[in-house]
């Protein structure tokens, strides 16, 4: 569902108390990782971050360092910003959170955004398999390992893995036996070519 | 978002999300509950109100998962719920799936090759699934309940340690992602890749059941991975500190 993309939260706030409290609350969210910063520009310490990122900060902080954060994290997936309001009763739009909201509500709003990442992500424009991917798929259905396929095609194992990932993304099929079924139904291979007993 | 609470009328909860029906059955409630609120019904049937409310909320709102509060429930209560869920799968959902897939495939006898493939794929998924849940009931849940007993009852500790020398849940933990993938693949194969000459209504009926199964199974795995396992790890720490 999430195409193996991690979901991280970057919390930015000057107050350690608020950072700690929010982190506790967001432990119940779908985030794989939560990073705490006092200022937006401290993101410079995390250039290797990957996956989808939700930045939670005050409106002023986002205005000030949003651009810089995008620049540093330019290699990652989706980056989204969520405004956080720190005063009780301050009027705030529905698309933001207030630290006086109930923890369940904060978590819910954050999860809604984290969930939406998976929807934005898939590139379903291009679902045709390439020639190379078809070759890899054929070998997969014969039960070869990534290493064996790499040797046969004179490429690295890493390349084979990335072909596999692309095949899964394009077809929506993840398991090895599912791929075999796909290949048969799409007439890429013939049933007689494989030993259905142990593959499917 | 408005969460269900103990003052919600159960009938209106069900009108809002009827996929909760098997969930409330598992929690001990049968149809015909009139206009009673969750509180009334739970008191009458001696069901833990907080547990009931959290379980239906977690099931209904996929994004809602108050981990901290869920960790407060006793392991025996969580396990009882998980086992009832397993029973629902084994006694109802899986046989229903078997029936619907056969109806679907039998309506199209010409495609015997395709039919055989789908059948085999489904059978494999089912086998893996049944092995998974029976393992949990045979090995993992008893371990958790014994651990829980050993903490409550010091006289039982020695016996527990002898039975499980290096006691740790990590030896019992089994992944859910393989099964999730296969179920997802099965859905995709039927939705995207099956030849179009199949009976559509029967295909839809089978798919409906698969979607229901998927929703229920994901919720179930989530409770195991994020409530049961962390809870057991806490208990293991407590026992270690008693040494
Ligand atoms: Fe289970
Ligand atoms: Fe499980």
């Amino acid at each position: 569902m999430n195409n193996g993309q991690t979901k991280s939260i970057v919390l930015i706030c000057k107050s350690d108390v608020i950072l700690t409290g929010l982190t506790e609350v967001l432990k119940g969210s779908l985030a794989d990782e939560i990073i705490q910063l006092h200022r937006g520009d401290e993101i410079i310490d995390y250039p290797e971050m990957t996956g989808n990122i939700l930045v939670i900060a005050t409106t002023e902080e986002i205005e000030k360092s949003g651009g810089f954060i995008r620049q540093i994290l330019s290699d990652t997936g989706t980056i989204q910003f969520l405004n956080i309001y720190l005063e009780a009763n301050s009027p705030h739009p529905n698309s933001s959170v207030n630290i006086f909201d109930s923890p369940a509500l904060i978590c819910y709003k954050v999860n809604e955004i984290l969930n939406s990442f998976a929807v934005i992500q898939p590139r379903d424009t291009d679902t045709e398999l390439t020639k190379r991917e078809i070759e890899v798929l054929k070998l997969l259905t014969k039960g070869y390992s990534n290493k064996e396929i790499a040797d046969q095609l004179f490429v690295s194992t890493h390349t084979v893995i990335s072909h596999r990932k692309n095949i899964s993304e394009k077809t929506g099929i993840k398991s090895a036996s599912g791929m075999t079924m796909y290949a048969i139904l799409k007439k890429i291979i013939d049933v007689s070519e494989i030993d259905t007993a142990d593959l499917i | 978002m408005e969460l269900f609470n103990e003052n919600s009328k159960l009938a209106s909860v069900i009108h809002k999300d009827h996929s909760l029906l098997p969930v409330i059955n598992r929690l001990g409630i049968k149809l015909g509950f009139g206009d009673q609120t969750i509180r009334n019904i739970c008191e009458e049937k001696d069901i833990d109100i907080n547990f009931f409310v959290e379980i239906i909320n977690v099931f209904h709102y996929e994004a809602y998962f108050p981990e901290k509060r869920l960790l407060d429930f006793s392991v025996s209560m969580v396990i009882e719920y998980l086992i009832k869920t397993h029973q629902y799968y084994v006694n109802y959902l899986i046989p229903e799936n078997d029936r619907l897939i056969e109806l679907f495939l039998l309506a199209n006898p010409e495609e015997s090759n395709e039919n055989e493939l789908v059948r085999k794929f489904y059978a494999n998924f089912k086998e893996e699934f049944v092995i998974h849940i029976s393992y949990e009931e045979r090995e993992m849940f008893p371990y958790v309940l014994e651990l829980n007993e050993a903490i409550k009852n010091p006289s039982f500790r020695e016996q527990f340690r002898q039975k499980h020398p290096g006691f740790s849940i990590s030896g019992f933990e089994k992944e859910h992602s393989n099964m999730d993938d296969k179920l997802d693949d099965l859905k995709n194969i039927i939705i995207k890749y099956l030849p179009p000459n199949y009976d559509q209504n029967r295909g839809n009926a089978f798919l409906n059941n698969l979607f229901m199964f998927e929703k229920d199974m994901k919720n179930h795995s989530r409770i195991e991975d994020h409530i049961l396992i962390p809870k057991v790890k806490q208990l293991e720490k407590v026992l270690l500190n008693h040494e």
Side-chain angles (χ1 to χ4, degrees):
Chain A
M1 282 268 153
N2 63 7
N3 352 310
Q5 288 261 26
T6 57
K7 297 167 180 172
S8 312
I9 293 177
V10 175
L11 284 177
I12 310 173
C13 184
K14 291 194 183 74
S15 154
D16 277 324
V17 174
I18 292 176
L19 282 178
T20 313
L22 276 175
T23 305
E24 267 313 300
V25 167
L26 294 173
K27 275 186 186 159
S29 76
L30 299 164
D32 301 298
E33 170 185 43
I34 302 172
I35 286 171
Q36 307 180 355
L37 304 178
H38 290 115
R39 291 195 327 265
D41 53 13
E42 291 168 6
I43 196 74
I44 192 93
D45 296 327
Y46 298 88
E48 72 290 344
M49 268 184 96
T50 55
N52 297 312
I53 296 165
L54 173 62
V55 180
I56 304 177
T58 58
T59 317
E60 305 82 68
E61 189 63 54
I62 293 174
E63 269 166 25
K64 199 170 72 193
S65 43
F68 182 70
I69 292 173
R70 279 188 191 284
Q71 212 181 325
I72 296 294
L73 302 178
S74 59
D75 288 339
T76 59
T78 317
I79 302 178
Q80 201 138 318
F81 293 88
L82 176 65
N83 288 310
I84 186 148
Y85 289 81
L86 308 178
E87 281 115 50
N89 310 322
S90 76
H92 63 289
N94 217 353
S95 58
S96 65
V97 289
N98 186 304
I99 56 165
F100 291 88
D101 287 342
S102 76
L105 181 64
I106 295 180
C107 239
Y108 180 77
K109 282 186 176 173
V110 165
N111 278 341
E112 272 194 322
I113 300 176
L114 295 177
N115 266 332
S116 74
F117 281 153
V119 186
I120 301 166
Q121 211 48 31
R123 305 169 280 161
D124 45 10
T125 41
D126 189 17
T127 54
E128 274 312 299
L129 296 184
T130 64
K131 268 195 184 148
R132 199 54 157 181
E133 284 160 3
I134 289 176
E135 275 180 274
V136 171
L137 178 60
K138 279 184 178 165
L139 293 169
L140 274 172
T141 60
K142 296 207 170 95
Y144 290 115
S145 68
N146 290 341
K147 173 83 178 58
E148 288 164 332
I149 297 174
D151 290 346
Q152 286 204 32
L153 299 177
F154 303 105
V155 296
S156 69
T157 321
H158 181 80
T159 310
V160 175
I161 294 172
S162 103
H163 282 311
R164 261 185 101 139
K165 248 180 80 187
N166 289 336
I167 297 171
S168 285
E169 261 179 42
K170 288 180 180 177
T171 59
I173 306 290
K174 294 179 218 106
S175 65
S177 48
M179 284 191 189
T180 307
M181 272 205 59
Y182 169 83
I184 296 170
L185 291 172
K186 286 296 221 176
K187 313 241 181 304
I188 292 170
I189 56 166
D190 193 78
V191 198
S192 59
E193 285 179 54
I194 55 150
D195 185 0
T196 39
D198 50 52
L199 252 178
I200 289 216
Chain B
M1 171 185 78
E2 212 192 308
L3 290 171
F4 301 124
N5 62 57
E6 55 184 60
N7 298 320
S8 314
K9 277 191 182 166
L10 191 54
S12 30
V13 171
I14 295 302
H15 276 296
K16 202 165 170 194
D17 180 2
H18 65 270
S19 72
L20 283 168
L21 281 168
V23 179
I24 64 166
N25 290 156
R26 259 170 243 167
L27 291 161
I29 288 168
K30 292 179 178 159
L31 293 174
F33 33 75
D35 269 325
Q36 284 182 291
T37 62
I38 290 178
R39 160 182 287 285
N40 296 149
I41 298 181
C42 286
E43 277 169 357
E44 195 185 298
K45 309 244 172 207
D46 200 21
I47 301 167
D48 187 295
I49 298 179
N50 291 328
F51 188 65
F52 187 97
V53 170
E54 292 299 354
I55 288 286
I56 62 170
N57 277 324
V58 163
F59 196 91
H60 176 68
Y61 299 99
E62 248 168 76
Y64 175 74
F65 206 72
E67 214 152 321
K68 271 214 154 147
R69 226 171 320 153
L70 293 168
L71 281 168
D72 283 342
F73 297 117
S74 73
V75 271
S76 45
M77 197 148 74
V78 176
I79 286 189
E80 193 194 323
Y81 176 75
L82 293 171
I83 290 180
K84 288 225 176 98
T85 315
H86 286 174
Q87 284 165 354
Y88 168 69
Y89 298 151
V90 173
N91 299 334
Y92 179 73
L93 257 188
I94 296 180
E96 187 61 5
N97 257 330
D98 293 353
R99 189 179 73 82
L100 292 170
I101 195 174
E102 273 316 311
L103 274 178
F104 171 52
L105 297 178
L106 284 174
N108 194 8
E110 308 91 75
E111 304 285 354
S112 60
N113 266 344
E114 278 82 355
N115 284 353
E116 236 5 79
L117 282 171
V118 175
R119 233 177 233 127
K120 251 183 181 160
F121 190 85
Y122 171 69
N124 266 6
F125 160 74
K126 188 170 95 176
E127 189 189 275
E128 192 176 330
F129 183 75
V130 172
I131 290 176
H132 179 94
I133 59 179
S134 49
Y135 173 83
E136 286 175 342
E137 290 189 16
R138 208 181 52 241
E139 308 281 340
M140 181 168 141
F141 295 169
Y143 165 77
V144 177
L145 293 172
E146 283 164 32
L147 169 70
N148 195 35
E149 194 52 42
I151 284 170
K152 279 199 278 186
N153 180 356
S155 63
F156 183 67
R157 271 176 213 159
E158 200 38 54
Q159 197 192 332
F160 175 78
R161 282 215 191 81
Q162 271 172 12
K163 194 167 167 198
H164 306 283
F167 64 90
S168 161
I169 189 71
S170 46
F172 294 101
E173 243 183 303
K174 289 269 184 290
E175 283 221 6
H176 292 113
S177 56
N178 280 341
M179 290 179 322
D180 291 351
D181 285 357
K182 288 215 173 95
L183 184 54
D184 225 31
D185 287 358
L186 182 59
K187 275 168 36 206
N188 265 327
I189 280 162
I190 294 172
I191 296 170
K192 293 165 76 174
Y193 304 119
L194 223 50
N197 47 352
Y198 278 87
D199 184 286
Q200 297 299 300
N201 292 327
R202 291 178 176 193
N204 297 348
F206 176 54
L207 275 174
N208 268 328
N209 214 52
L210 277 188
F211 275 107
M212 212 158 75
F213 193 7
E214 181 187 35
K215 179 172 179 189
D216 210 299
M217 193 171 104
K218 283 212 166 120
N219 183 271
H220 180 83
S221 307
R222 205 158 159 223
I223 295 178
E224 287 178 350
D225 293 342
H226 296 287
I227 302 303
L228 186 65
I229 301 286
K231 248 196 111 70
V232 174
K233 287 186 177 154
Q234 281 179 357
L235 293 180
E236 285 169 348
K237 267 199 201 127
V238 173
L239 191 64
L240 259 183
N241 290 337
H242 279 309
E243 297 206 341

